[in-house]
Amino acid sequence: MGRSSRAARGPEPAATTGPDGRTHAQGPLSRPVGSGLAELRPDRDRPAAWSLLIDGAPQSLVDLADPTHLGFEYQRRLGHLIDLVAPPGRPLTVLHLGGGALTLARYTAATRPRSRQQVAEIDTALTELVRAELPLDRGWQIKVRGADARIVLERTPEDSVDLVITDVFSGARTPAHCTTVEFTTLAARALAPGGWYAANIADGGALPFARSQVATLSAVFPELCLIADPAVLRGKRFGNLVLAAAHTPLPVADLTRRAASDSAHARVEHGRALTDFAAGAVPATDATAAPSPEPPPGVFR
């Protein structure tokens, strides 16, 4: 889930999608999928870009002409992690938990050719819609599995991936079973030496869910940082926060420079500041976890 870029609305077209994907001339598309009503809306500023929404909540933005374009703020922050987890251009093995329109998988494939990627997306009807309307390059090694993210994570071999990205939303909320110490321990087990774990979450107000997630990841990983809009960190608005964790030091200085210079300015919290941020928060477990909070009314308008 992320902040939506500006998009046009209109009636659903009758035209058939071509081999290169849906065109703006065909207009927006709405279709029921397993998780709700999926909408593809053409982006006003980019002639080959589309926003994916589920029940009105923005999920992904894909530019069919430029897979390196990351239109949502949280996607760019996860993109920084993809850029920094290994030397530029080196292929990665990535596990994406949550697929949506496969924006980050496309970005990884375009910026790191020959990467091997697996995506867990429980909504098979959504995946079919995305593949038909926003097709992937046939040369990309991206495998999408129609299964629950945690089940896929449980079956992932130990020490097998360079990066695990959790971006799991049921509508606009992260399911409880993907927020716990047990879930995070499975992610840590899947990582190869030097690998990173990243998670996109959403919260607002006093950020109790985000603070609990920092405590949860800290129970598993010794190195941790958080990237978010300063207004979100101050509780001024509901929004996305990206967490990164590892068993080895993270490139906090590089992340800070990238986040600060991004068009959507963000702050990186780590070390003592992050410890203070999570002070008093209790790690979530399978016995105690709850889904992330509902966004306030009108947050996506």
Side-chain angles (χ1 to χ4, degrees):
M1 185 195 72
R3 299 188 72 185
S4 178
S5 60
R6 294 175 298 160
R9 289 178 177 268
E12 181 175 337
T16 301
T17 301
D20 296 324
R22 192 172 191 82
T23 67
H24 281 200
Q26 294 173 280
L29 171 69
S30 298
R31 184 173 300 169
V33 294
S35 49
L37 180 67
E39 298 176 72
L40 293 176
R41 297 182 184 172
D43 187 83
R44 291 179 182 175
D45 301 318
R46 302 181 70 89
W50 295 85
S51 291
L52 168 68
L53 299 88
I54 304 292
D55 289 338
Q59 303 290 326
S60 305
L61 188 144
V62 167
D63 190 331
L64 293 173
D66 180 9
T68 68
H69 174 71
L70 300 176
F72 287 174
E73 296 170 7
Y74 87 87
Q75 290 177 339
R76 292 201 293 277
R77 290 159 194 163
L78 289 168
H80 297 328
L81 297 174
I82 294 168
D83 292 343
L84 292 171
V85 69
R90 197 191 86 181
L92 297 175
T93 301
V94 185
L95 175 61
H96 301 265
L97 301 175
L102 310 173
T103 305
L104 292 169
R106 297 169 197 264
Y107 179 84
T108 304
T111 60
R112 295 181 176 276
R114 301 183 307 283
S115 291
R116 292 182 294 113
Q117 301 185 78
Q118 183 172 203
V119 181
E121 174 53 66
I122 195 170
D123 192 338
T124 56
L126 175 60
T127 298
E128 290 172 3
L129 173 65
V130 168
R131 285 190 178 278
E133 304 292 339
L134 310 175
L136 299 170
D137 187 301
R138 293 188 179 184
W140 292 341
Q141 299 180 61
I142 300 173
K143 179 179 180 180
V144 183
R145 297 187 61 184
D148 179 82
R150 181 150 173 176
I151 291 174
V152 172
L153 186 57
E154 289 171 348
R155 295 174 180 174
T156 301
E158 186 174 356
D159 300 335
S160 63
V161 297
D162 300 306
L163 181 62
V164 175
I165 298 176
T166 296
D167 187 17
V168 181
F169 283 86
S170 177
R173 306 180 74 182
T174 301
H177 71 293
C178 295
T179 69
T180 67
V181 169
E182 293 87 346
F183 179 89
T184 307
T185 300
L186 290 169
R189 174 184 172 275
L191 292 175
W196 296 358
Y197 175 70
N200 174 44
I201 61 173
D203 201 2
L207 303 174
F209 179 74
R211 297 176 196 276
S212 175
Q213 286 301 284
V214 171
T216 300
L217 268 63
S218 295
V220 178
F221 291 101
E223 301 290 335
L224 185 66
C225 71
L226 179 152
I227 314 168
D229 186 312
V232 174
L233 290 172
R234 292 194 300 268
K236 299 296 184 181
R237 72 171 180 86
F238 189 94
N240 295 83
L241 306 96
V242 169
L243 289 162
H247 288 292
T248 54
L250 294 162
V252 172
D254 286 338
L255 280 171
T256 300
R257 283 192 292 270
R258 287 172 178 250
S261 62
D262 193 281
S263 58
H265 173 71
R267 200 166 81 213
V268 178
E269 297 284 9
H270 64 99
R272 179 59 183 272
L274 191 56
T275 300
D276 292 345
F277 173 83
V282 177
T285 68
D286 283 350
T288 64
S292 64
E294 284 276 10
V299 71
F300 301 125
R301 293 176 186 168

